[in-house]
């Protein structure tokens, strides 16, 4: 059983501006947004919450006007899911995650981007972060709106020990990119891998992913993990060295 990903989830949420510990859970509140994808909870590995613990967790969300929501690896805390189900939590999704290590990383040698060979770079200006935020919002089908706060979160990721990388379009915009959190508990999460529709199939996702993983290994991470959205993206990640690691459960409470 892997517990590094769940230990990372706990450490990562504790970095949030208004993080709280409730029973055997950590809640990562961020007052700058009401997004449920940023304001959520996760259990400590091995947690065995009582019904009262779960009720206190729900209250912590309700006090802020937020929907109670959790993301976690069930096998790292087997007693948690039954306790949440008793309280009425329903499944949003179950995602597999993949793990890359320095031994499995395969840096692609070729790739053809919007203006020739893929050149991955780090954002250097506010305009770069803004363009990346806009591009990722479009790449993910408008699941969220680009905003100054979104661009600022990307910058904080880079400045807080993580990494952000992107590939430019010929006119200086952003064709695609991704980010990786600062390492914790020996691992780091790579997320938000997105490419604009017009630039897909040119090796951008593979180049950005492998560059970010390599960067994190240089920062001392022993592994990097990510979740994938479909078989096409899974094949991209596997080509650069990511291997099956386990599953993560997403649950929330309506009403």
């Amino acid at each position: 059983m892997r517990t590094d990903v769940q230990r990372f989830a706990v450490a990562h949420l504790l970095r949030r501006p208004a993080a709280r510990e409730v029973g055997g859970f950590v809640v990562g509140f961020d007052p700058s947004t009401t997004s449920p994808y940023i304001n959520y909870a996760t259990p400590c590995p091995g947690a065995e919450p009582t019904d009262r613990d779960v009720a206190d967790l729900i209250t912590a969300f309700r006090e802020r006007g937020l929907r109670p929501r959790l993301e976690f690896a069930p096998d790292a805390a087997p007693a948690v899911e039954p306790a949440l189900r008793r309280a009425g939590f329903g499944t949003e999704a179950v995602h597999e995650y993949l793990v890359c290590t320095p031994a499995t990383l395969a840096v692609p040698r070729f790739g053809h981007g919007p203006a020739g060979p893929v050149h991955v770079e780090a954002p250097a200006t506010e305009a770069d972060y803004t363009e990346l935020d806009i591009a990722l919002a479009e790449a993910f089908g408008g699941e969220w709106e680009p905003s100054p706060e979104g661009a600022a979160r990307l910058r904080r990721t880079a400045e807080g020990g993580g990494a952000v990388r992107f590939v430019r379009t010929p006119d200086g915009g952003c064709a695609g990119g991704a980010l990786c959190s600062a390492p914790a508990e020996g691992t780091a999460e790579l997320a938000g891998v997105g490419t604009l529709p017009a630039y897909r199939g040119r090796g951008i996702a593979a180049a950005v992913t492998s560059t970010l993983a390599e960067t994190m290994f240089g920062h001392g991470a022993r592994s990097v993990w990510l979740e994938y959205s479909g078989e096409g993206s899974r094949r991209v990640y596997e080509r650069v060295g990511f291997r099956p690691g386990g599953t993560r459960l997403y649950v929330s409470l309506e009403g």
Side-chain angles (χ1 to χ4, degrees):
M1 177 182 68
R2 301 186 66 102
T3 61
D4 55 347
V5 167
Q6 188 56 36
R7 292 198 309 272
F8 167 87
V10 169
H12 183 59
L13 288 188
L14 284 171
R15 296 167 173 160
R16 294 284 165 76
R20 287 185 57 184
E21 296 185 50
V22 181
F25 301 93
V26 170
V27 194
F29 291 131
D30 185 338
S32 72
T33 178
T34 59
S35 170
Y37 305 111
I38 294 176
N39 294 279
Y40 62 90
T42 202
C44 296
E48 297 182 352
T50 64
D51 290 346
R52 181 62 194 177
D53 291 332
V54 175
D56 289 344
L57 177 67
I58 293 170
T59 297
F61 279 91
R62 299 297 194 208
E63 288 175 344
R64 290 175 172 266
L66 299 170
R67 173 160 51 99
R69 185 174 181 276
L70 295 94
E71 301 179 7
F72 63 103
D75 62 353
V80 169
E81 184 179 354
L84 295 175
R85 299 298 186 192
R86 289 195 298 271
F89 279 81
T91 299
E92 287 184 355
V94 178
H95 293 164
E96 268 194 284
Y97 64 85
L98 307 176
V99 179
C100 182
T101 67
T104 64
L105 178 64
V107 179
R109 295 183 179 181
F110 305 101
H112 196 76
V118 172
H119 176 63
V120 179
E121 56 187 288
T125 66
E126 290 300 328
D128 288 342
Y129 285 104
T130 297
E131 289 291 342
L132 176 55
D133 185 50
I134 293 171
L136 291 180
E138 181 178 343
F140 281 87
E143 289 183 13
W144 68 87
E145 290 293 326
S147 66
E149 293 77 17
R153 279 192 291 272
L154 290 170
R155 177 179 279 282
R156 287 199 300 271
T157 295
E159 294 177 344
V164 180
R165 297 291 184 270
F166 76 115
V167 173
R168 292 189 189 274
T169 60
D171 62 2
C174 176
L179 62 147
C180 198
S181 65
E185 301 293 336
T187 191
E189 180 186 10
L190 199 157
V193 183
T195 305
L196 292 179
Y199 298 108
R200 289 173 185 166
R202 307 187 189 192
I204 292 174
V208 169
T209 300
S210 63
T211 299
L212 281 170
E214 191 172 34
T215 299
M216 288 299 101
F217 297 147
H219 290 178
R222 297 188 297 275
S223 66
V224 172
W225 64 278
L226 55 75
E227 296 178 1
Y228 63 92
S229 58
E231 287 306 309
S233 61
R234 175 176 179 143
R235 287 192 292 271
V236 170
Y237 303 138
E238 287 181 334
R239 282 199 296 271
V240 298
F242 283 79
R243 303 290 180 262
T247 60
R248 297 213 327 140
L249 176 64
Y250 293 68
V251 298
S252 60
L253 183 65
E254 300 297 338

